[in-house]
Amino acid sequence: MALTPLEKNRMQPFIPFPDYSGGTPRPDVSALRAAVRAFLEDERRAGTIVPGLQSWTTFDRGFSERAARRGFLALTWPRRFGGQERTAFERYVVCEEMLAAGAPLGSHWIAERQSGPQIMRHGTEELKAALVHRIAAGQLTFGIGMSEPDSGSDLSSVRTKAEKVDGGWRMEGRKVWTTNAHHADYLIVLCRTEARSEDRYAGLSQLVVPLDDPKVTVRPLVSLNGEHELNEVIFDGNVVPDTHLLGQGGDGWKLVIEELAFERSAPDRFMSTFGLLRILTEAVGASGDDRAHAEVGRLVARLSAIRDLSLLIGERLEAGQPATGIATIAKDLGTGLEQEIPEVARRVLSMVPVRGRADAAGALSFAILNAPCFSLRGGTREILKGIVARELGLR
């Protein structure tokens, strides 16, 4: 079926700001953007991408493998691990184009964004050899094993434990809100490997846990929107080899803080409702309503500022500089924007949200139902503000 001009326009990512930060020119990425957009258009025509009804958590292993074959995964990784040794900015460009298009990134997103880099930095040689190239090829899905039933953002209180046994670690405990664990091949799990002491951050470690072990159970947690992306994961005596320990025993808290800087600064933390913003911008642009123009203009201005902040964090991480505090601020500001976009759309658009429809009403429904989780995943706002206060010396 032929697309209308408006539908064709909706397939083009809306980038209202140049590829500059702080007035400093960045590398020319026009060819890279064009290549990513051509790939995404092919995927849309094949029915893989349904704008407004998918997010970066939507699972599609085939999409991830095709993206890897086109060179859109592991851009910044060393070549010896299957990477391309390109700049962090080039990786950022690929990520934002895919997020803007609403591509199904859930199969590779966590693995490529944080699990792979953690293994390259802190994993054993055996673990690197077994997993990293397969992550770069889009063939492995990872989940994040941090939150627990009574330890949400307060990660230092986790009770999942790993007891040292001959040749490995025997695990007992539970994790919750684990995105795509029912599809994942591995989970990087924060667990207690030593008895809790006065120093609540001591005695924690990270283990790379295979999820095909019969002593690991994954149970679904169905969300408000009726979708199954979240899960509870139960460890009941599974043994993880010594080679699957990241860093040294007791390094867990340091590694988690490092990992969360990557998680909290990425563009998915402010582009989850970008598809709706694009629809909203088009609708308001044709309406001539000054009040609506002002509301949408404020959203776009905030998006531009948060993007610049996110790019700055990426530069710091690439240079090996600390970014915990600024990444926490970016996450808080970004998720606030993500949640406000559907609220503005509800006020401005004259339509009833309809779940499941592949149009503006469906996109509005999808955003409304998913928005409550944005300020929870990656750390609640209350915890984030506490981190910022400590960075500023206020606590």
Side-chain angles (χ1 to χ4, degrees):
M1 181 182 296
L3 296 176
T4 67
L6 180 58
E7 288 172 328
K8 289 180 179 178
N9 188 44
R10 283 180 180 160
M11 287 309 303
Q12 296 303 314
F14 171 61
I15 306 295
F17 21 67
D19 291 327
Y20 297 91
S21 178
T24 303
R26 297 185 182 278
D28 182 3
V29 292
S30 54
L32 178 61
R33 282 198 188 278
V36 179
R37 291 181 183 184
F39 167 71
L40 293 170
E41 175 63 13
D42 289 342
E43 292 291 321
R44 186 202 64 78
R45 291 185 182 279
T48 306
I49 297 175
V50 185
L53 296 182
Q54 295 176 163
S55 75
W56 58 270
T57 60
T58 303
F59 184 88
D60 188 330
R61 196 182 296 271
F63 175 88
S64 296
E65 293 179 350
R66 291 190 295 275
R69 287 196 292 269
R70 293 286 291 271
F72 300 141
L73 269 62
L75 273 82
T76 62
W77 293 15
R79 288 191 176 89
R80 68 189 183 96
F81 290 125
Q84 303 176 48
E85 298 185 2
R86 300 181 74 162
T87 66
F89 180 61
E90 289 172 298
R91 179 186 180 275
Y92 195 99
V93 165
V94 171
C95 289
E96 72 177 355
E97 287 290 342
M98 291 196 174
L99 290 165
L105 308 176
S107 179
H108 73 264
W109 189 257
I110 291 170
E112 196 264 356
R113 179 185 67 184
Q114 61 197 85
S115 306
Q118 282 289 78
I119 294 170
M120 284 188 287
R121 286 179 174 84
H122 307 293
T124 61
E125 292 304 315
E126 293 90 339
L127 199 62
K128 294 175 188 177
L131 302 182
V132 173
H133 276 85
R134 295 176 65 197
I135 296 174
Q139 296 171 351
L140 290 181
T141 298
F142 273 69
I144 301 172
M146 294 186 188
S147 295
E148 296 186 1
D150 299 313
S151 302
S153 296
D154 183 14
L155 293 177
S156 63
S157 67
V158 298
R159 293 185 293 187
T160 295
K161 64 180 182 180
E163 178 185 4
K164 189 71 183 73
V165 295
D166 186 28
W169 300 86
R170 186 179 184 277
M171 300 186 65
E172 299 283 349
R174 290 193 296 165
K175 297 292 179 180
V176 290
W177 319 126
T178 314
T179 301
N180 284 328
H182 55 308
H183 296 301
D185 304 291
Y186 294 90
L187 212 62
I188 293 186
V189 177
L190 178 67
C191 54
R192 188 159 291 284
T193 51
E194 300 174 19
R196 187 164 179 172
S197 63
E198 291 185 5
D199 182 357
R200 64 188 304 181
Y201 304 111
L204 296 169
S205 300
Q206 279 193 322
L207 289 168
V208 179
V209 180
L211 293 184
D212 61 356
D213 192 305
K215 293 185 178 180
V216 178
T217 302
V218 178
R219 293 178 178 171
L221 297 173
V222 179
S223 304
L224 175 68
N225 60 6
E227 294 184 359
H228 173 204
E229 285 187 350
L230 304 176
N231 299 272
E232 177 184 35
V233 182
I234 302 168
F235 309 104
D236 187 18
N238 57 300
V239 176
V240 180
D242 281 329
T243 54
H244 284 225
L245 176 69
L246 295 182
Q248 302 297 316
D251 283 350
W253 187 253
K254 180 185 71 175
L255 300 188
V256 161
I257 295 302
E258 177 184 307
E259 184 176 341
L260 286 174
F262 285 96
E263 179 180 343
R264 289 171 174 163
S265 62
D268 55 291
R269 293 310 183 190
F270 58 89
M271 292 186 70
S272 297
T273 48
F274 186 91
L276 179 61
L277 177 60
R278 184 170 57 195
I279 292 170
L280 177 61
T281 303
E282 293 167 354
V284 168
S287 71
D289 184 328
D290 289 343
R291 179 185 63 83
H293 287 174
E295 287 212 65
V296 175
R298 281 192 289 271
L299 294 176
V300 173
R302 285 170 61 191
L303 175 63
S304 179
I306 295 168
R307 178 181 185 262
D308 272 349
L309 181 60
S310 181
L311 285 166
L312 174 61
I313 296 165
E315 290 174 351
R316 288 192 176 187
L317 292 172
E318 188 175 29
Q321 299 173 353
T324 303
I326 192 171
T328 303
I329 293 170
K331 194 274 180 185
D332 186 36
L333 294 175
T335 52
L337 174 65
E338 288 180 322
Q339 289 179 325
E340 188 166 345
I341 288 171
E343 291 304 312
V344 171
R346 290 173 75 169
R347 294 196 297 269
V348 170
L349 297 177
S350 299
M351 66 178 63
V352 176
V354 181
R355 182 177 165 191
R357 273 181 29 183
D359 59 9
L364 178 58
S365 173
F366 184 83
I368 290 171
L369 290 173
N370 281 278
C373 78
F374 297 156
S375 55
L376 298 174
R377 63 192 187 192
T380 62
R381 283 179 171 157
E382 293 79 7
I383 294 295
L384 296 180
K385 286 179 169 59
I387 294 172
V388 173
R390 284 195 296 273
E391 289 271 333
L392 295 174
L394 301 177
R395 284 182 61 183

